[in-house]
Amino acid sequence: MASAISVQLDERLQRFIKQLQKRKRVSPGEAAIDLLQTGYFERVRQLHRQYLAGEITLRRMAKELGLEYRQLYALLEDLKLPVA
Amino acid sequence: MLVVDHILKCCRLSIPIEVKRETVDSGLLFGYQDAKELEMRINRGSIAVLDSESRDIELEPVLTSIGLENVDRTVIHACIRMPKQTKLVTDDHRLFVCAIRLGSSPIFLVDLVVLLAAKRLIKAALAAEILHTIQPRYTRGFVELSVKRLEGVI
């Protein structure tokens, strides 16, 4: 389910989004979503590395991502990230 | 047939009610097919669900400070109350190490499969098939070690 939020961007982010818009020929909203998704998946991978290193449990990873435990399993499957 | 069905033929499987909530109940809400399959096995009594019990008040804060989440802690508490021969099946390294440090016997799923084959509770060919099926879930080399053990190479 999609939802809309309004955020204030600092100048650097505004410039970056404009650059993304130009490069990818997309709307400002699409460029912002692209940026958010890149950040999100980077965070997933970062937490996953911590999980594989035994620094956090899988349940902590789910909590950090705001997911239910079972949803995290599905996400790992989608991204082909191993559980051990 | 799920992997768990092969294990259920020779093992008694119990899960704390909190684990049922996060895998089965929550899984059903999100429409995952395996949650439905697990619910069927729980309903027919193949998988036992353990009621919530009181927690060791000395251990609880230690488990929290070591970074275990609520259900992780429940699993550990349940585990240390079980008979000595009970094994905690988990692929979670932090939980695994914590269980070992508390004198429990955790085991990775892939090694449980090898153990069952070694005890001749399942056939080696079936064990190899199970390992092959679950291999995509693991990092490179993780399952290969179990395969080599199964083959008796190491």
Side-chain angles (χ1 to χ4, degrees):
Chain A
M1 187 175 60
S3 65
I5 54 167
S6 168
V7 290
Q8 295 283 328
L9 301 177
D10 65 19
E11 200 198 329
R12 273 183 302 186
L13 278 177
Q14 284 180 42
R15 282 171 176 270
F16 187 64
I17 294 236
K18 269 187 190 160
Q19 181 57 28
L20 265 182
Q21 264 182 269
K22 267 193 218 163
R23 187 156 50 85
K24 297 199 169 183
R25 294 167 192 258
V26 292
S27 69
E30 286 168 330
I33 287 169
D34 185 85
L35 183 61
L36 276 173
Q37 282 189 335
T38 304
Y40 173 74
F41 288 117
E42 178 48 38
R43 182 70 182 133
V44 171
R45 287 190 163 78
Q46 193 182 52
L47 287 166
H48 182 253
R49 281 194 294 273
Q50 282 182 266
Y51 162 68
L52 281 187
E55 292 168 15
I56 58 170
T57 67
L58 205 57
R59 290 185 176 92
R60 170 61 63 89
M61 181 178 174
K63 189 177 176 182
E64 293 281 336
L65 292 170
L67 294 175
E68 296 288 333
Y69 187 61
R70 183 58 187 81
Q71 287 180 299
L72 177 60
Y73 261 103
L75 179 67
L76 294 179
E77 240 178 69
D78 289 347
L79 299 178
K80 297 189 177 5
L81 293 174
V83 292
Chain B
M1 195 174 202
L2 300 179
V3 167
V4 75
D5 292 321
H6 298 299
I7 295 169
L8 282 170
K9 281 183 183 170
C10 49
C11 299
R12 277 200 305 266
L13 201 61
S14 307
I15 56 170
I17 194 160
E18 291 84 351
V19 171
K20 176 187 175 280
R21 284 188 195 122
E22 70 176 8
T23 52
V24 178
D25 302 349
S26 172
L28 288 172
L29 277 178
F30 293 111
Y32 295 116
Q33 181 59 31
D34 60 346
K36 208 176 283 182
E37 296 280 347
L38 286 173
E39 187 189 40
M40 280 164 51
R41 283 149 184 82
I42 289 170
N43 289 344
R44 66 172 181 241
S46 305
I47 299 174
V49 178
L50 307 171
D51 286 331
S52 281
E53 286 184 48
S54 60
R55 299 175 177 207
D56 182 324
I57 53 166
E58 297 292 330
L59 183 58
E60 181 68 0
V62 179
L63 295 179
T64 304
S65 65
I66 215 167
L68 298 194
E69 291 299 312
N70 184 43
V71 182
D72 295 323
R73 298 195 300 272
T74 304
V75 168
I76 293 288
H77 283 290
C79 220
I80 56 177
R81 276 196 300 264
M82 300 291 264
K84 225 34 188 164
Q85 68 270 24
T86 304
K87 293 206 174 291
L88 165 64
V89 183
T90 181
D91 288 332
D92 189 313
H93 286 65
R94 195 162 188 87
L95 200 56
F96 192 102
V97 170
C98 194
I100 284 188
R101 293 182 68 195
L102 288 165
S104 290
S105 304
I107 190 166
F108 292 121
L109 176 61
V110 288
D111 294 331
L112 175 68
V113 173
V114 175
L115 179 68
L116 296 179
K119 287 180 177 264
R120 299 182 188 281
L121 293 168
I122 59 172
K123 289 183 176 162
L126 174 61
E129 194 184 311
I130 294 172
L131 292 179
H132 180 73
T133 304
I134 61 181
Q135 188 170 25
R137 294 189 218 162
Y138 296 91
T139 49
R140 216 171 154 187
F142 195 86
V143 180
E144 281 77 355
L145 178 71
S146 301
V147 171
K148 293 291 179 195
R149 285 183 63 207
L150 185 64
E151 290 169 349
V153 179
I154 50 173

